[in-house]
Amino acid sequence: MKRTPRIGIALGSGSARGWAHIGVLRALAREGIEPQIITGCSIGAFVGAVAAAGEVDKLGSWVETLGWQDVVGLMDMGLRGGLLKGDKLMAFFERQFVDRDFTALVHPFGCVATDLHNGHEVWLREGSISAAVRASIALPGLLAPVWQEGRLLVDGALVNPVPVSLARAMGADLVIAVELNSDVVGWAARNGADTEPAPPAEPGWPQKLLSRLARNGRSPGEGEGRSAPVEPLPSMLSVMQNSIAIMSVRIARSRLAGEPADVLISPRLAQLGLMDYHRGAEAIAEGEAAVQAALPALRRLL
């Protein structure tokens, strides 16, 4: 009798675009496809941990009602190691979703971080779930890095944005990869836009945060008595976001070429900024649409 293959899913990095992972998991479940092994990087680790605990629907319900004011409420200014400390976010994560050991999860789960001192890829598969997720989401410059077992860890996207290799190492026979940034590079040029998506009708926390930093960091007399530049520069956060997105795309393409997934799902998310966490419903819908596009390939394998 032929053995049913173990399905793994590798959820990629992409900050707020990662809410699309919820749509992917929902759509797969509707088609009767439930991954037995879940791996994630950065926001993929956040969603993946919740999915491995069997609570993805609870997360989806929260994300779909998330407003920018709610996002602001989860942010704690740090400016030591990163703009944000991340303590409030992880406290909420533990309280509402996953505060347990890896061994207590419904499905096997693993996530990826980067050792900031030597650049090594770190696979996190034991101990505290929240501690592992906190390390994997530590986006350089935004969230402060964390110490774990003598290693200073940051976002896994620096080395393995879509951890297919980890899913296979954990025993997956077939791996579905979800890559969130595939259409980011060149999006602005294709759509006649500037380097960052149009801001929401109400300014979110990124705009307010950067405005405050700009006021506090301005040198005396700076900006006075001089005309505005012909080509205004994008915000600091926009430069950082787009640079990291480009880096992640390049690294993901290289890793996926050497360690290909059996099926690659690529939601169309370039219209979302990396900090647009309040646009969760839109991201989830794109994730669901991407699964529909990938169904023929999935059906051929399953």
Side-chain angles (χ1 to χ4, degrees), residues 148-264:
Q148 285 193 25
E149 298 180 358
R151 299 175 300 196
L152 188 60
L153 302 182
V154 295
D155 199 320
L158 298 180
V159 289
N160 194 358
V162 189
V164 172
S165 55
L166 176 54
R168 294 204 190 280
M170 291 174 63
D173 301 307
L174 297 174
V175 179
I176 302 166
V178 187
E179 207 280 297
L180 302 175
N181 298 311
S182 61
D183 64 334
V184 171
V185 178
W187 180 85
R190 291 193 304 271
N191 291 274
D194 56 20
T195 54
E196 53 187 328
E202 288 187 282
W205 76 266
Q207 290 80 20
K208 290 188 173 183
L209 172 64
L210 288 169
S211 176
R212 184 184 307 168
L213 290 174
R215 288 196 303 270
N216 293 342
R218 182 178 297 159
S219 301
E222 183 180 347
E224 298 176 7
R226 66 178 68 174
S227 59
V230 176
E231 295 288 343
L233 294 175
S235 69
M236 177 188 70
L237 186 59
S238 176
V239 171
M240 184 177 74
Q241 290 173 9
N242 284 285
S243 298
I244 291 174
I246 291 169
M247 176 194 69
S248 295
V249 168
R250 302 304 186 194
I251 296 172
R253 287 176 182 173
S254 177
R255 293 296 299 255
L256 289 171
E259 303 158 348
D262 296 284
V263 176
L264 179 62

Side-chain angles (χ1 to χ4, degrees), residues 111-146:
C111 60
V112 180
T114 304
D115 188 321
L116 189 59
H117 285 155
N118 57 30
H120 290 172
E121 180 177 339
V122 178
W123 289 356
L124 302 170
R125 297 180 53 189
E126 58 185 22
S128 165
I129 291 291
S130 61
V133 170
R134 175 63 182 84
S136 189
I137 67 172
L139 186 68
L142 184 63
L143 277 174
V146 293

